[in-house]
Each structure stands twice: as C-alpha cells, then as structure tokens.
C-alpha cells in the first residue's frame, strides 16, 4: 500500500471522484451547521421532483461534542463530506465503495459493514432510512435514503452519503488521535485545529451567555418568520440554521430542560416545514426548471435465460437481493414469507416439499426442495339452476340450462343433476387444466414480495413501492430455468451476488439451485440463519475459552449479530485493562449497544476482551488472523472507552453533591423552574410520603439524602453524553463521594422501572424518591397545561403514572394518591385548578386500569374495583385478585343476585330513606336489619374485599328470606320507605371497596 | 485553446496548483465573511513569526453588492479563492501567473496588469499594499503584501492573493452575465445561485429588521468581549466577524449614518486589535510551535560576471527591477534619483556625462552616457597646530608636529607652514588616490536605493527595509562589467527581465549598456517616460480621429497611464450608445477613475468609444488588432455601465422628493438624529440666513426647495454606490423629477467646494443651502462633543468650516457667523454650552485665519483683522487687503505712530475716563477732541477700514500737535484723567474693525 492520503488530499480525491461521477461540487455553508444535511444544497434541494447530484465538504459544528481537544475522537468541529444523489442511481452503494477505493481503502482487506441506522432530525422535520457504514467497527459514513425533509415526503427519494472525514483519515493514516492526522506535508490536524477545539469547547460549555443566547434565538426566529412572510425561502432557511446552532449552544451550556427541549424542537420543526413548503411552492411556480437536467440512467439490460423449464417436480429457489436489511426486518420477513409462500403455493395448486425460508442481511431466500412443474388440474362442481327450471316438461334443456352451461364452458349435455340441500339442481363439472409453474409464478412472486410488511419501510425508485431497504437483484430458478418476473424496476435473471468485496460485487451466473447454493457456500455465506447463529454461538464460546472466559447469554444481541453478517467470522479483541475501572454498565453499554461486541467475563467480572463478528469468509472452527480488522475494532472501542473515561474522570473531580447547584441552570420546564427546583420539591414531598407510608427512621433518613442527590448526575458529563446512564452514574458517583450504599442504591433505583420489563426498586428509599419524582412531574405538567393528549405524550407521563402504579403494587403498599397528589400540588410554584387535579388523578387511575387489564384481569372486574379504588393501586390490585377468585366460586351467582336485588329496587330512588326499627312488621325485616347494621359497622372499622365477602355472605339467606316474606312496595308509604331504606343500606354496603354494579353479570 | 474550465473545475485546479506548491488547503469559514481575509486562516495566521502557506475557497458575502440577481456582474455572494504565502517566497507574482496558466489563461495572449491598489479594512485594523490584477481591464485578483493586521505590524510580511473566481470564470468562459457561468456540465451559476441572490438581496435591502440587527450587534460585541476576557481568541474573532456582517446588513438597510459609521468602525477595529494581541500572546506562550515548519526557500544563486571593469570612462546603467510600482511613486523616485545620484557621484569624485533617470512600472533606471572608471585623486590641506607650538626654539618639530604628521599619514618633513586667518599654522597636504569606480559604487548604490522615500512604502522580506513595492532583481553595468552589490536579499548581476509574459518572464543576460538598451527595445519597452507619454498622446489623437473624435487633455490621467505600462499600445474600444443616456459625470467617472480609459468626445459630447492603453509590444504608429484584449476591456466597461444604468433606472422610478422619507432611516449622528432631521434643520436655517443675506424672493424660493431636496439623493442607489456623485445625481434626478434648473443646480452646488481647488457655488441658492448645511454640521457636532481634536477630524469639520469661509469670501457676502451659528444652535435637538459655542466660533475663525494666510497675507495683518472680524469672513478679507496696501504706503509709519502714542499711554489704565470739555486748557486739546468726536460718530454710523483710515488720517497732525503742546501726565489729577480720556477715545477708535496693536510694527 502506498502512503495514506493526507487530509487535504482525501478531500480533493473525493471532490474529483464525485465530480467525475456527475456531481456538482458545492461549498460549505456560511453559517454554523451541525451537519452537511443542513446546507440548503441538501435540505432544500432534496425537495420536489428535480434531479440533483452534489458533493461538498461541510465543517460541521456540534458544540456538545466539544472536548477541549482532550478526547482523541470527539471534537467541537468535525469535517463531513456530503453527497446527494437524486434520484437513486440504482447502484449508490457500489459508487460509494468505489469512492473508498479512490481514497486508498481496499474493501477486500477490511471489514466494511452497512449497519442499520434510521436517521432523523427533529429540527429539520426530516428522516430517512439507511446505515452507518462501519470500517472495522468504526462508523465512517452515514448512508441514508432520505424519505422526508421539512415535513415533505420526498419523491424521488435522495441518496445521502455523509463521510466522516476525520475518522476516515484516522483509520487510513493509522493514527489514534485526531490531533495526529496529517493535514498536509507540514501540518497535522492538531497544529491547525487544536486551539480552536480548546477555545470553542470552553466557550460553549462555560462561557456563552445564556440570556444572550436566548435573545439571539428569539431574533433569529423572528427574522425567519419575517422572511417566510415575504416569501424569502433561503434567508428564512439561513435563520433556521442559526436558531439550530443557538439552540445547540444553549443545550451545551446545560440551559435547556427536558420539557423546554421539546418546545424548541417543535418551533424549529415548524419553521423547517414552512421553509420546505415555501421552497416547493417557489420551484413549482418556476415550473421545476431542472426537470430537463440529465441524470444518470440505470443500465436496464434484459437478463435472459435459455434453459428450459422442468417437466417434472424440481428444486426451486427465489432470492430477493437487497441492500443490507435491518435485523428486525429480517425476522419479520422470515415469519411472513413462511406463511405467505405456503399459502400462495396452495392457492396456486403447486405441490411442494421441503419449503425453507432463509435470510442473510443481503438476501431473502425461498428454497423448495421439490416444486411441481405445473399446477394440479382442477375439477370443480358448480351448482346451476334447479332441475325443474333447467329442463322443460319434455326433458329438454331450457335457455337457463344453456346459459349456465355456456357460462361454465361446458356442453349442455355434460350437465348433471345433483341433490343439494335436499333439492335437485343442475350442476356443471368445471375442469381446469393446470398451468405451468413458471407461468403462475411469474405473476405470483411480485405479489408475495409486495405483501411483506415491515415496521418501518422506505421508498427508493418507485413512489408506490416501499420495502425495508432497496431491492437490487432478483433471482428465481426452477430446476435450471430462470423464472422471469419484474419488480421494483428490476427483471429477474439467473444471477446472484456474492459476499461484498469478493470479486468486486459483480453478478455471478448460476445454472441451477444446486449451483446457487454452491456459489454461496464457496463465498463463505451461511444462508441458513439458524446455522449462522449456531456457528456464532460456538465460536463465541470457543474464542472466549481461549482467554479463560465466557460470554454471557444475550439472545437479543446474538439474533441481531446473526442478521448483521452473511459470513460470520469471530475475532477476539482486547482493550487496555485500565478501562475496567469504569462502571461495568458503561463498558457493557458501549460494547453491546454501540458496537455489537460480545463482552467476555470470568467469575462475573469483565475481562479486557471483546469478541466481534466480522463479515468475512472463514471455515468453521477456524479463527483466521485478521489483524487489520481486529485492531481497527479495538481502536474503536478504545476511542469510546477513552471518551467515557474522560467524562468519568472529569465528573469525579467534584463530589456528587457539588453538582446540585448546576441543576439550577437546567430548566425542567419554564413554568416549573429548574431541575434544582424540582429536586427541592422532591425532597419536601419525601417527608410527606414518609408519614403516609410509615417509613422507618433509617429509610426516612436515606430517602431524604437520596432525594437531595437523585438528579445531581444529570449535570455530570457522562450522563449528559449518555442519558441512559442516569441513576447508574448517580450510584457510582454517590459511592465515590462517600455516600452510603443505601443512598447510592436509592439514587439509582428511583428511576425504576425505566422501561417496560424493568423491576421495581428494591429499596424503600428508592421507591419513595421515585414516587415523589413522578408525583411532582405529573402534578406539575398537568398544572402547566401540558397533559398528554391523544397519542402525544412528549414528556412520558404515561410511563411516569404507570411506574407510580406498578411500584405501589409491587411493594403492595397502600397509598392514597389523591392525598399524595395534593401534597405534590401544594409544592408547585403554579396554581392548579381542581378540575385539572381531578383530570390528573383520572389519568393515573386509567393507567392502573390498563395495568390490571394487562395482567389479564377481566375488564368488568377491573372496572368494578378501579371505579372505587382507583386512588390506591395496591389495594385495588388485591381487590381485583380477590374478586376474580370469588367470581369463579360456585356460590357467586347467589351472592351477586342477592346484592343485585337490593340494588335494582333502590337505584332509581332520589333520596336515602332512614330506617325506623319500630316500623318493621316481619321478623325477616328485623333479622336482616340487625345483621346488616352489625356487618356495616364491622366493615366501617376497616376491611378489604375478603372482609366484605365474609360479612356479606351471612346476609345472603337473610336477604332471600326478606324478599320471600316481605312486600317491599307496600301501599303504606312509611312502611315502604322504611323497607327501601333497609335495602339502600345493603346496596351501599361495598361502596368504599368496589362497585359491583359494573360487573357484566350484574 | 481547449474548452474553458467550468466553475467547479476552476476551483479544483486552484486547489491542486496551490497544494502542489506547498499550501495547506483550508475550508471556507463557518460564518458570513465579506472576504477570505476575514477567515482566521488569514487574519490571525498572518500574525507573528510562524510560516504559513494556505489556500482556500471563500464564498464572500457583501450585502450591499446585492442586486437581486439582475446585474450581470454584482452579487450578494461572490466566490473568492484566497492564498496566503508567509513569508514572501521571493517570486509570488510568478507563482500567481503560473496559477493562471493552470486555469487555462495564456498570459502572452492577454493584457494582464498589476494596477496599484492599497487595501485596508478598518474593521480588521488591517492594511497592505499591492495591486488589483487586471485581465484585459477586468479586475480578477487582489494581490497584497499584508503589512498590518489587527493593528499589528506583520513580520514577516504575508503575500495575500485573492482570486475573484466569478470574474475569472466569466472571462474564461466568455460569458457576460454571472448567471451564465457554467458550474458543471449540467448547471449554470444562475441555476444554483439566482434564487439566493434575489432573496438575500431583498432581505438585506428591504427586510432585515433594524432594531433586531442593532440588538444582534450588541450581543455579538458583548460575547466577543466576554471571550477576550477569558482568553478565547478564536471565538472572539468569530464574534467580530458576526459584528461585521451585522454592520453590513445595517448599512445596506441604509440605517447607518456617516458619523455612526465611524463609531462602528472604531468598535470593530478595537475588537480586532484586541483579538490580534491575544492571538499573538497565545502563540508566544506556545513558543511559536510552527517556527520549524519548512517553508519555500529562495534559490539564492550567485550571479557572477566575468567581464573586467573598464579602464576608461564608460557607459553605466543601474536597473532596480521591481514589481509594478504605483504611478505616483515612480514620479517621486524619478525626482529623488536625479538629485541623489548626482550628489552621490560628486561626493564620490566620479566624473560623469549624460545622466538620465528613466522609469517604467517595473524598473527604475539610472543611465549615464559616460562614467569615470575611477575616482579623481584628492589633494587636501589639513590645518595642524600653530607654528610656535609645532617647532621648538631650535626649529625642530615638537611632539605635537610629529603627532599631527603621523595622524595624517605624512612625514613630519612634509609639513608646511601656511598663514590662516592671520595666524601661522602647520599644515599637512593629504593625498588620496582615487579608487576604482566599481569599488565605490558597490558601497554607494545600496545607500542610494535605500534613500528613496515614498508616500507609502512597504516591507516584504526584510523587516528593516521598506520600498514602494518589492525589488526583485538588480542590474548594474559599467561598460561590460557587472557592478557587484547586494541589497534587499538580492545580489546584482548582468541580467534584466523583459516585458511580462514575453518568454515567460525569464531573466535575460545582458553584456553591456548598449546590449541592455537593445534588449528592452526588442521587447517593445519604452524605457524613457517622456517618450512613452508622447507616444501615448500621439496614439490617442490618431486613434480618436479614426472615429472623428478627440481626447480632451487630462494630464493627470496621461501621467498615470504612462506609468502603468512599459510598452504602450493604444486600443480603441466601443460601447453600446444606449449608455450615453447616463449622466456624463457617471460615464467619465467610470472610464477614467475605475478603468483609466480615455473618453472620446466630439463637439463636447461623449462618443460611445474609449481608448485603453495595453501593455503590449507594438511598433510606433501601428494599431495592432488585439480583439481578445479590446473586447475584454469593452466587456468590463459594459459591466460597469450596466451597473450604473441599473441604479439610475431604479432610482428614476421615484421622484427625487420621494426619497426624502428614506432619509429618516439614515442616521446622521446618534444625538443629532437622521439625515431627515438634518434636512429639516437646513430648511429652517435657510429662512434665517435669507433674511441676514437679503435674498431676493426668487432666490429664497429656490433655496427653500433646494434645501428640502438637497440630501435626497443620498438615499438613491447610485449615490449609495458612488458617494462622490452626491449632488451630481441630485441635480439629474431633480431635473428628471420636474424641478426647475435653478433648484437642481443649487442641489448640486451646495456641496461646493467639495475639495481643495473646487469653485464656490455659482448660484445664490446653492450658496445659502451649503452655508446652512455646514453651519448645522459644525454646530451639531460640536454640541455632541465631537469637535475635532489634534490631527483627528473624522467628520471633515475643517473642510466644512473652510467651505463656509471661502464661499462667503468668494461671494463677498457679509454674514455675522456668530448670529448665524446661534440660529443653527437653536435648531439643534441637543443643548450647547456657551463655551462650546465659543469654541466652535473660534474654530471657524481659525480656518479664516488659515485661509487668509494661504492667500499670502502677512500673519500680523491677518491677526490684526481676524482678532476683530473673525466672525465676518468677507469683511475680514476686504480689511486684510486694504491693510496690506496701506502698510506699503509711505505715510504708514506716521499713521501707526500717531495711533500708537495714544495706545501706549493709555493701555495700562484700569478704567475708562470720561472727557469734560471744560477742563481743556490748550487749543490743541480742544481741536483734537472735537475732530475725534466727529470722526468717531461718523465711523459708528458704519464703515470699513478704508473709511477708518479716511477718518483717522486728518487726525494725525492734531495728535502730533496735542502731544507737542500738552503735558498729558499733569499733576492735577482731573486734568490728567481728562486728557487720558481723550486719548482712550482715539485708542479705541478702530476697535470694531481691527486690532492695530497686533501688527509687528506696532
């Protein structure tokens, strides 16, 4: 290999490559942008029908990536090279790979991967599907099929390729710190950029004046709107970019709270949308002048096969060749294809044996060991008119019979008489001769492909067609013949493609199904996902054993990785053991989540190793030396760990408590103040809840301290960087600051459950702080008029309420949420209307309702309980369980009936009647009354549903006797009202526990 | 020639060229900049000692150049390519010309010129000297030796090359409208930039909210200072750039007044200075880490001549080869060299004949027909000690004599006795043998070159050496031998260089003075400036005659053009006659001032032609066809006329009066309000002045209208573009708006005199409006605390006061400026303290003083008059004339003596004594008193100096008689005081006219 290109030559090589490939070469934008996408040459030009191919450098400024020049891989300003190909040229991945070759990267020697990445920019109202491109685990490019920009659906779709030039340079030049990148012969990247990194980082993190920045944002937004009003699209867009950069500065200063952020995003998105609308309108008025600009054309050559179709059952294979599919989509496709193919074959009357659905990231394959060469013939009896109408008195066929025969394509003489449902009818026996398999498959295959549904699908060359990722080739072989069909602008042919980079991604002709399978095997591709997974699993174990370690099971990661490679090759990498000082969660999170590496452990301790699965040909049980790839991957993880270490080190320079003041700079929500304010409210609320929940002194003291510290880690760099570590870092930092284990644990646990499936807190302090936090959020956001509406829940209040409910149930702790919420409300800096308070309580009890329903309890049972006990989840849960059991009891009907008789006769009464014992005439009246009075008193003194039933059951015979012996609706008004009064007591008996009338059986 | 490069290829070619020549390739800056200079890669990196070679594209944004995409040559955003070479590589012009060749420009076929241009950026505190590079009259590049940045003197100096890419593309591709530049195969410049031009122009001229922009400026400035305080140089610089762009927007919106502008510039300059200081300090702390970066080295080869020096007088030539010298500097050098060379030769005792000093823009030449081969021998008599001390009584030389002889290098026996000034002294006769000419010239030539002084000089490779422009080669021949000397890092040698672009600018060896002259002639260079000027003059006449026209004499332009070319070739171009509709001043101003073309006229009307003088070889009386050059020049003028036409057309869409409201947006000065406010004050003041000046009704009415309209053209685009046309355009627009000739003329003339040498207004209305304008400015600016101090006069108040004085004198109109100023003060929106008012009046009378002195009047005469009549310039002027004449009169001494006697005896008196006629004792007392009383009364009724003398002369004999006959200082107090009282009357007699005591002869 010749010497690696220096940084500026890298750029010049890309400019030349893309200019030679028909791109207009553009320049960086003249205001700060976070990415090349924001340059109007992308964000606006991708709109509308006009073709546009462009390439340009974009120094991209992301203040919160600033690291004072100290981190080897993260910087305030990085440099992108941005390419837009509109429309999709049909081979954008191949063009891209060629551009890498132009940079001196030989794809055959490296592990280059397209790893699912779904991009979206809330500020631009834009999204797209595609990949991160990984070079030995290092993300070097974002490759996206742009689906929407400025809220506009794009037609045609644009291909967006964004090179991370700094990373490419580091990988090419083999340097581990951006500062050491050679820029040209004399200067390094650090020479010319380090001062800038140091100073702009300091400015963004420490110095930018928050009030000034807010004022800038206001002005920029105002000017953007002024421009829009005057129809000035480009100046408006310019101001949107300025808004975005100013927002980034505010954010980096830690001055944007969670709820405020949503507001900023909404405003920027609205602006972007208006800009996009205005741009399109303008181009339309100009009649889309670029529509006649030449653009690249696909080759479109016909692929003909000369082999003849089989005349007996033969093997069949259908290969849908795609760009790299997301792992989840592969799972979806496997399930659906299994079903759809078998259904289709049955409908088509094609016999088959040995159907297998196989998939790799680049191909979905239907393989059939034996598929009939033609459809089965069909004999079908069709009912015609009744016999008496089909033949006249002379037995001659009538016109009705003739018409029927003709419509069925049979001679009238061939009609038969059958007895159907007790009547006699003329029937025709239709015979259909089966068509050849290839005829029906030609029509059927496109429908099958089209019917596959994905969680998120995309368009590329056909606005009416969406799929997980673009389909780039189609192969269907029956025996030795190619089944000809067209789909997605492609024509099927007897060609497959091998593993990427082996023989340059050229098509490979295959003459038969056997041939096809042999070709893939020869390329090292394991087509069968199960086989692939098993191979990986074995290799993980074997490789881990070489360092005396094991790989813990993680089925989800294993499945994902299985779908990331066609030819799995496990490689064992190592990292500097010094990083083992980092919290385990951080290390695992980086390895698994960011890199899809498998951590290696020994005795529950992480080893300084990882295993990555490369997409390279290798034989089973062989672990080839691929040092370039292994070291590349190790470098990436080193970079990520170094980043984390940088944060943790910086964070540890202060005690956790020292971060509390910084919370005052972090807005929670404009009306509700800062996170500092919120922390104070949580702290106060903990005291109130403690008395409601009978906390021990020890728990109370722990809860108080944990409440003070619970949000402090939000101001630490590690959490700012990886929000998912909130609480986790709090735990570590608390311990490092000398807090006791209980307090640290409570800080960590107060977020639990953080997502569905998470357990409840194990410590009572964690529980209490979490309750306080959630009560404060719910009360506050409702009071601020930010209650969730419809499907919108930007502040995750559903999750908060559900956590509240779930934790109380898990701990089986009774708490009157109405009282607790009122306490939370009393802490708020703003007023809350009683109706809003009630709406908030209803919102919580609705979550309780859902929770119980999801546990499988009957909706009427849940209704009956929640209607009354909605404010006490634990108690409600117990009641639901009891009631559910009770309903299964054989005596239940009696119980309910007895109660129902009392309710039905009294429920329309306008007033409650008092009962005068002296008015009773019958003993059964007196007996019932006395029993009821006693039971009522006992229940009033406390009791749950079990107690209720225990008290109610003895009443049942008395109620029956009462109705048997007493005429409630006596003509004597006094008598009547007295009796009704008695029944009213019974009807209201369970009213503090449940509402039995809501049961379906009531 | 192959097809011209498209726009993007142009850029890529430059990147490659400069990368190949050792430059680091950089990227455009991420905030709006007006030029590549503002990118920190230039404005900061040029500071300090570290080497730095860089090239980058810079899309440059200049809001006030926006033309809504309608003008073919002006745009909101143009594209520069910026190169910095630090230090000067020694051949930057040659490198630059090679880069043009890399773009496909063949310099041999074009007229490429380096035209003096002194660049400065007030906002960056930066300046440099260099050139505009012209390609056939089109400015395509700025080439500057950067002398200062951020207020810091640069050492080493940087070479800054700024390509105007759009213009180069237009010239290369032969298109006349930027919109038609091919960007790549599919897109034109207009395709991708027109919308942006239209919209950003509209935003900047019509939409940007002035209050918001001012607030942005405030915030940016505050953040810049915040950054500086924290030592963050680069973020601070970033904010300075944002200030600058915001200022440009405000300016384009017409929201920055003349005086406000100075304030903005000062603030930006201060910021830039602080940024520069901080940057340097920072680099120093880092110990200038780039000092060891390799940079290009000069070849530095020795140039040896083998010819031997002449042994008898021989021709001599010295050629100082330079980069293109400014025309004014050539004139300066010619004069100084004549004097310095002849002085030097005399001092060196080198005989010479036929000294000529010759110059072209690229060479200063000393030519001597015959120069001695050696110095004359010297015999010099040196005086020693007196004879009596030199010899003892025995006549033997003393030690004093011996010491003297030895110090002079003679034997004591060779001492002689000479009589000097009446005494006898020992003398020695020193004999010095002349050295060879080349020996003394080697030492003397550098001193001669170094001694030349220029109005503005620059440094390039030696911090201690300044010259007009860099010296690049040195030739000195004496006979056939090269006189060896070193200067400015160069060594002299027998080599000259020819006309640029002929044989690639290589050195040409010359063997003798004859040879040298022949080489230049062969190249078409006319070395003799007079010959060159005559050739141009003849060619102008001859060529103009071909279109039946003439070229009006303009010696200043002729001299300039003579110094712009070495080989003059006149080319006749034409332009579309439609442009003749433009005001004549506009056309002439564009042709002469911008392009150095000669306009062609017939019967005082412009013809649609121009003559340009190219720098190309041609024979005398030959006008070669050079269509590329002629058409190139014609295109340039077309572009400039189109620009003017665009403005005038736009301006004429409204009447002149319609621009008055826009004056309210144009700040005159913060405290004094807008130009609209000023206009109202002028209008009011005109009424007051009218009554003081006895205006006719007609003049008054004209003055009033002219006052209303006088500033309206400041809001028109043509004047915003070329401020020097203020008044001129007002005249045209007024006429076009239906105003009468008198009003239009007054609008034009109220600015007169606009500069020294200008006439006063011809119309009274023009005079009056001009007076009002100046009175308002002076009163206002003094009141606002902005009086000029020391040498600082940013608002040109000296010129205003001088105009006031000069115009009143020219018109011989009496006006009490104190009264007039009080009127102006009464109109001001702010208060003026009495002391300030007096200071303002004093400032005006000081100008009157200077004015009169410059007319040649004696200072005491001027003093005597101005002390009393400083507030009435016309009257003062008359008095000075009369007094000057009077002083020449033979009786003047009597007159003054008589007056002086009266003054001297009374001037120390504390009180004024009354005169009681009855106390007179002598007739001469009574006679004098009666005569004085009568004269005083007559003078009181009005009169000038003539009248004063007419009245005073008859008093002289009476005064003489009085002193002869009367003892003033009588012992009787009453008598004495009575007599003194009489003399006091005489002493105070001229006090309203002049102060005779200030005369020197008093």
């Amino acid at each position: 290999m010749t010497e690696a290109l220096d940084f500026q030559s890298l750029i010049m090589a890309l400019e030349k490559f893309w200019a030679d490939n028909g791109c207009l070469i553009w320049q960086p934008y003249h205001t700060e942008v976070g990415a090349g996408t924001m340059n109007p040459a992308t964000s606006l030009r991708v709109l509308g029908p006009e073709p546009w191919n462009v390439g340009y450098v974009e120094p991209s400024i992301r203040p919160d990536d600033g690291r004072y020049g100290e981190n080897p891989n993260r910087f305030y300003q990085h440099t992108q090279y941005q390419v837009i190909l509109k429309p999709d040229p049909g081979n954008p991945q191949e063009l891209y790979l060629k551009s890498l070759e132009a940079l001196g990267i030989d794809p055959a020697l490296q592990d280059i991967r397209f790893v699912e990445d779904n991009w979206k920019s809330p500020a631009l109202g834009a999204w797209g599907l595609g990949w991160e491109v990984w070079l030995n685990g290092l993300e070097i490019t974002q490759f996206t099929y742009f689906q929407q920009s400025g809220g506009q659906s794009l037609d045609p779709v644009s291909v967006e390729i964004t090179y991370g030039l700094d990373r490419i340079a580091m990988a090419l030049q083999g340097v581990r710190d951006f500062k050491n990148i050679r820029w040209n012969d004399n200067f390094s990247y650090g020479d010319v950029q380090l001062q800038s990194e140091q100073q702009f980082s300091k400015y963004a993190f420490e110095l930018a004046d928050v009030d000034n920045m807010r004022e800038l944002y206001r002005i920029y937004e105002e000017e953007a709107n002024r421009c829009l009003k005057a129809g000035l699209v480009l100046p408006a867009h310019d101001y949107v970019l300025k808004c975005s950069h100013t927002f980034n500065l505010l954010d980096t200063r830690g001055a944007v709270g969670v709820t405020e952020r949503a507001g900023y995003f909404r405003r920027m998105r609205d602006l972007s949308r208006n800009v996009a609308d205005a741009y399109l309108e303008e181009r339309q008025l100009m009649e889309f002048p670029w529509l006649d600009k030449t653009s690249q054309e696909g080759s479109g050559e016909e692929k003909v096969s000369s082999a003849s179709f089989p005349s007996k059952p033969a093997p069949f294979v259908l290969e849908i060749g795609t760009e790299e599919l997301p792992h989840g989509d592969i799972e979806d496709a496997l399930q659906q294809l299994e079903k759809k193919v078998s259904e289709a074959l049955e409908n088509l009357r094609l016999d088959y044996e040995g159907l297998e659905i196989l998939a790799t990231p680049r191909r979905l394959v239907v393989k059939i060991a034996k598929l009939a060469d033609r459809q089965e013939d069909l004999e079908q009896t069709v009912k015609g008119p009744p016999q008496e109408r089909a033949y006249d008195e002379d037995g001659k066929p009538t016109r009705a019979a003739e018409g029927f025969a003709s419509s069925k394509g049979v001679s009238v003489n061939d009609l038969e008489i059958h007895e159907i449902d007790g009547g006699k009818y003329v029937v025709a026996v239709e015979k259909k001769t089966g068509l050849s398999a290839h005829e029906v498959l030609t029509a059927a295959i496109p429908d099958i492909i089209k019917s596959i549904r994905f969680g998120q699908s995309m368009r590329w060359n056909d606005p009416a067609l969406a799929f997980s990722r673009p389909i780039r080739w189609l192969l269907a072989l029956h025996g030795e013949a190619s089944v000809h069909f067209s789909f997605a602008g492609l024509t099927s042919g007897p060609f497959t493609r091998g593993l990427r980079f082996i023989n340059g991604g050229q098509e490979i002709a295959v003459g038969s199904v056997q041939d096809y399978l042999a070709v893939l095997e020869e390329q090292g591709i394991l087509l069968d996902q199960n086989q692939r997974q098993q191979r990986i699993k074995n290799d993980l174990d074997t490789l881990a054993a070489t360092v005396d370690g094991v790989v813990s099971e993680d089925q989800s990661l294993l499945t994902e990785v299985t779908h990331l490679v066609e030819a799995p090759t496990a490689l064992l990498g190592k990292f500097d053991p010094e990083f083992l000082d980092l919290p385990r969660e951080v290390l695992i999170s980086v390895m698994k989540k960011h890199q899809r590496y498998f951590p290696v452990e020994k005795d529950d301790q992480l080893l300084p190793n990882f295993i990555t699965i490369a997409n390279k040909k290798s034989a089973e049980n062989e672990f080839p030396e691929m040092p370039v790839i292994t070291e590349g991957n190790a470098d990436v993880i080193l970079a990520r760990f170094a980043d984390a270490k940088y944060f943790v080190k910086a964070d540890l320079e202060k005690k956790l408590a020292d971060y509390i003041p910084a919370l005052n700079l972090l807005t929670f929500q404009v009306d509700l103040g800062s996170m500092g304010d919120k922390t104070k409210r949580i702290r106060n609320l903990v005291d109130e809840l403690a008395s409601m929940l009978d906390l021990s002194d020890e728990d109370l003291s722990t809860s108080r301290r944990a409440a003070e510290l619970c949000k402090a880690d939000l101001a630490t760099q590690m959490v700012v960087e990886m929000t998912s570590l909130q609480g986790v870092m709090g735990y570590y930092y608390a311990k490092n600051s000398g807090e006791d284990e209980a307090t640290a644990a409570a800080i960590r646990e107060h977020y639990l459950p953080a997502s569905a499936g998470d357990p409840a807190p194990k410590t009572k302090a964690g529980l209490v702080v979490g309750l306080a936090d959630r009560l404060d959020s719910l009360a506050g956001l409702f009071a601020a008029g930010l209650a969730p509406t419809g499907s919108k829940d930007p502040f995750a209040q559903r999750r908060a309420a559900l956590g509240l409910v779930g934790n109380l149930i898990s701990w089986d702790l009774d708490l009157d949420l109405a009282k607790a919420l009122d306490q939370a409300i009393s802490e708020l800096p703003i007023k809350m209307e009683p109706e809003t308070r009630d709406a908030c309580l209803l919102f919580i009890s609705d979550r309780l309702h859902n929770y119980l329903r999801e546990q499988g309890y009957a909706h009427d049972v849940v209704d009956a309980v929640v209607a009354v006990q909605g404010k006490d989840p634990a108690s409600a849960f117990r009641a639901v369980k009891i009631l559910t059991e009770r309903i299964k009891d054989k005596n239940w009907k009696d119980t309910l009936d007895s109660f129902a008789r009392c309710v039905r006769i009294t429920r329309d009464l306008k007033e409650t009647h008092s009962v005068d014992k002296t008015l009773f005439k019958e003993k059964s009246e007196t007996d019932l009354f006395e029993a009821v009075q006693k039971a009522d008193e006992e229940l009033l003194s406390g009791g749950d549903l079990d107690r209720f039933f225990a008290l109610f059951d003895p009443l049942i015979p008395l109620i029956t006797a009462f109705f048997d012996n007493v005429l409630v609706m006596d003509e004597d008004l006094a008598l009547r009202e007295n009796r009704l009064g008695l029944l009213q007591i019974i009807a209201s008996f369970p009213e503090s526990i449940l509402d039995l009338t809501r049961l379906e059986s009531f």
Side-chain angles (χ1 to χ4, degrees), chain A residues 75-88:
Chain A
F75 16 106
Y76 183 89
Q77 177 184 322
H78 70 120
T79 310
Q80 295 186 341
Y81 195 84
Q82 168 86 355
V83 173
I84 289 291
L85 304 174
K86 174 187 174 193
D88 165 27

Side-chain angles (χ1 to χ4, degrees), chain A residues 63 65-71 74-77 177-179 189-207 646:
Chain A
D65 278 349
R67 295 292 178 273
Y68 297 75
E70 292 174 21
N71 182 295
R74 283 286 194 91
F75 16 106
Y76 183 89
Q77 177 184 322
D177 189 318
F178 79 98
K179 295 189 277 296
Y189 203 106
D191 282 337
V192 292
Q193 281 291 71
L194 179 58
Q195 271 180 299
S196 170
E197 284 298 319
Q198 291 167 334
Q199 298 183 4
F200 278 102
S201 295
K202 190 172 166 79
Y203 177 73
F205 282 98
E206 303 173 34
L207 213 70
Y646 170 86

Side-chain angles (χ1 to χ4, degrees), chain A residues 489-781:
Chain A
L490 300 166
T491 306
S492 64
F495 302 96
T496 184
R497 297 194 198 177
L499 192 63
R500 272 200 193 284
F501 319 122
I502 293 194
N503 71 7
Q506 291 305 302
E507 292 184 332
I508 305 168
V510 287
S512 68
V513 175
Q514 275 324 99
D515 197 7
Y516 167 77
L517 294 173
V519 161
L520 295 193
E521 200 181 326
E522 153 69 25
Q523 299 259 333
I525 295 172
L526 295 184
L527 186 56
D528 184 330
Q529 54 279 5
N530 297 320
Q531 202 182 336
R532 221 160 54 238
Q533 178 166 320
Q534 194 53 51
R535 160 85 74 87
I536 294 170
K537 220 162 138 58
N538 293 345
D539 286 359
L540 287 176
D541 291 343
T542 317
L543 258 188
T546 64
V547 288
D548 204 13
V550 295
V551 172
S552 305
E553 188 177 310
D554 183 338
Q555 183 58 45
S556 143
L557 180 62
L558 184 61
T559 308
E560 178 175 353
V561 170
T562 300
H563 290 322
L564 284 181
V565 291
E566 300 204 277
T569 293
L571 300 170
L572 177 75
K574 55 177 183 275
F575 57 86
D576 193 323
E578 67 162 310
F579 291 115
L580 291 174
D581 293 347
L582 284 169
R584 175 186 169 87
E585 288 85 346
V586 173
L587 296 172
I588 291 182
S589 175
V590 165
M591 283 190 269
K592 289 190 171 181
K593 206 168 140 188
H594 288 304
Q595 295 299 130
R596 282 78 159 184
Y597 296 160
F598 293 88
V600 184
E601 289 177 82
K602 181 179 176 183
D603 305 334
D604 289 334
Q605 296 294 314
L606 286 175
L607 290 176
N609 292 97
F610 64 91
I611 300 175
T612 182
I613 308 298
N615 188 32
K616 287 280 163 192
K617 184 178 171 178
S618 72
E620 201 162 356
N621 288 324
E622 247 183 44
F623 300 102
E625 289 284 323
M626 293 185 172
V628 172
I629 299 175
T630 309
E631 279 161 27
N633 278 285
D635 281 353
V636 175
I637 209 157
L638 179 103
R640 290 208 179 261
F641 286 167
D643 213 20
K645 199 178 171 78
Y646 170 86
F647 293 132
V648 172
K649 180 168 162 274
D651 289 342
L652 285 175
E653 279 167 15
K654 295 203 286 184
K655 296 204 166 197
L656 183 58
D658 297 337
Y659 290 97
I660 296 176
L663 296 176
N664 294 326
L665 294 174
L666 205 65
T667 308
F668 169 58
Q669 194 274 336
V670 174
D671 297 327
L672 303 172
S674 68
M675 290 304 292
D677 298 328
K678 189 184 204 318
T679 303
K680 287 188 201 96
R681 295 198 296 270
I682 293 174
R683 171 66 190 74
N684 292 341
L685 214 43
V686 158
D687 278 355
E688 303 296 334
L689 292 174
S691 69
M692 296 186 205
L693 294 170
D694 272 338
L695 248 60
S696 69
D697 284 354
E698 198 186 328
D699 280 343
L700 175 57
S701 139
T702 304
S703 300
R704 283 175 170 166
R705 184 59 180 161
E708 283 162 10
L709 292 169
C710 68
K711 300 298 179 190
D713 68 352
L714 293 179
T716 65
Q717 295 195 45
M718 190 70 232
V719 175
V720 167
E721 177 62 20
M722 288 175 79
T723 316
S724 68
L725 290 172
Q726 66 186 0
V728 172
M729 297 319 298
Y731 171 82
Y732 281 97
Y733 294 154
K735 296 258 287 181
N736 266 290
S737 306
E739 304 292 335
D740 59 30
E741 172 71 27
T743 306
I747 293 169
R748 176 182 204 147
E749 290 188 335
H750 92 279
Y751 284 110
L752 291 177
S755 57
D758 274 1
K762 288 204 188 73
T763 66
K764 196 144 189 180
L767 173 82
V768 171
V769 175
L771 292 176
D773 183 17
R774 291 180 176 91
L775 282 167
D776 175 68
S777 292
L778 289 166
L781 294 166

